[in-house]
Amino acid sequence: MLTNPSIPCPQCHSLDLVPVLTPNNTGGQDIEEFTCRTCRLTWKTFEDPQFPAAPNYRIAYAHAPQMEDEELALLLMVGDKGTRNAAAAATDGSAPGLDEQRQHLLRIAAYWDRRAHAMALSGFMGLALDEDVDRAKAKAVQSAFELLKHDLNHDAEHVDAPFAPTAPGWGGEGGGPRAYVRQEYKAWRGQQ
């Protein structure tokens, strides 16, 4: 049986999960869903049963670029932002505005949310170390809180999704801030 403490049951928090494996296109296997042996809850790996008001991973990131492409885009954004900030400080150049700052925070948070989710599944399969899974999850929560804090500090001026950053649950346990990222990413991609 596959076991890893990085994925608890969202209902009873048991670590006694049974995965349903499916073959992937690389000849290996992926986890399709989990069933908790304790409370019998079953959920697909792309779902987030802890915060059902937000879109699941599959819906939120349906039109997201491949992880490697997003990594490169984020690196280019950071370089451009730094160049523009330096130019604005030296002259009358334009520093990145609130929309651009928020987009950067959103894309970083979405990247870490996706990466942490993939790492947790890999960890469950024994393909990633627990400390790597925990590090990715911590980065995902940290970057999600940065986005949430930005939106709260700017009175949700740039929020286009159904639930405002002040909605109950976003800041709590159970994936709240990461679920907020999925809601916001889906809304942002819908505008692209």
Side-chain angles (χ1 to χ4, degrees), residues 41-150:
L41 177 69
T42 297
W43 72 98
K44 300 280 187 192
T45 57
F46 58 82
E47 295 174 329
D48 187 3
Q50 299 174 46
F51 201 88
N56 64 45
Y57 289 92
R58 184 176 287 171
I59 292 170
Y61 302 123
H63 302 291
Q66 295 294 318
M67 291 294 287
E68 297 82 14
D69 295 337
E70 186 65 1
E71 243 176 83
L72 178 59
L74 287 169
L75 286 172
L76 292 172
M77 282 177 81
V78 168
D80 180 54
K81 184 177 172 185
T83 303
R84 289 182 55 208
N85 281 337
T91 65
D92 289 338
S94 64
L98 278 180
D99 284 339
E100 194 173 338
Q101 290 173 18
R102 183 180 190 276
Q103 181 187 56
H104 187 240
L105 289 171
L106 174 61
R107 289 179 72 176
I108 287 173
Y111 169 81
W112 279 108
D113 185 43
R114 293 167 66 196
R115 184 169 171 89
H117 182 69
M119 287 290 287
L121 293 177
S122 292
F124 191 87
M125 301 266 307
L127 302 173
L129 299 174
D130 283 348
E131 53 266 21
D132 293 334
V133 173
D134 291 341
R135 193 175 306 117
K137 288 168 91 175
K139 287 289 283 182
V141 170
Q142 177 188 359
S143 57
F145 271 122
E146 289 297 319
L147 175 67
L148 189 57
K149 184 171 72 174
H150 177 275

Side-chain angles (χ1 to χ4, degrees), residues 4-78:
N4 187 304
S6 63
I7 302 179
C9 172
Q11 185 167 292
C12 73
H13 307 290
S14 170
L15 301 175
D16 193 5
L17 307 180
V18 178
V20 173
L21 303 174
T22 58
N24 62 29
N25 58 3
T26 64
Q29 292 184 315
D30 291 325
I31 301 173
E32 183 178 322
E33 68 183 26
F34 288 108
T35 299
C36 176
R37 288 184 199 249
T38 305
C39 70
R40 297 289 180 215
L41 177 69
T42 297
W43 72 98
K44 300 280 187 192
T45 57
F46 58 82
E47 295 174 329
D48 187 3
Q50 299 174 46
F51 201 88
N56 64 45
Y57 289 92
R58 184 176 287 171
I59 292 170
Y61 302 123
H63 302 291
Q66 295 294 318
M67 291 294 287
E68 297 82 14
D69 295 337
E70 186 65 1
E71 243 176 83
L72 178 59
L74 287 169
L75 286 172
L76 292 172
M77 282 177 81
V78 168

Side-chain angles (χ1 to χ4, degrees), residues 143-162:
S143 57
F145 271 122
E146 289 297 319
L147 175 67
L148 189 57
K149 184 171 72 174
H150 177 275
D151 289 351
L152 289 169
N153 288 342
H154 294 94
D155 297 324
E157 187 175 316
H158 303 280
V159 178
D160 300 311

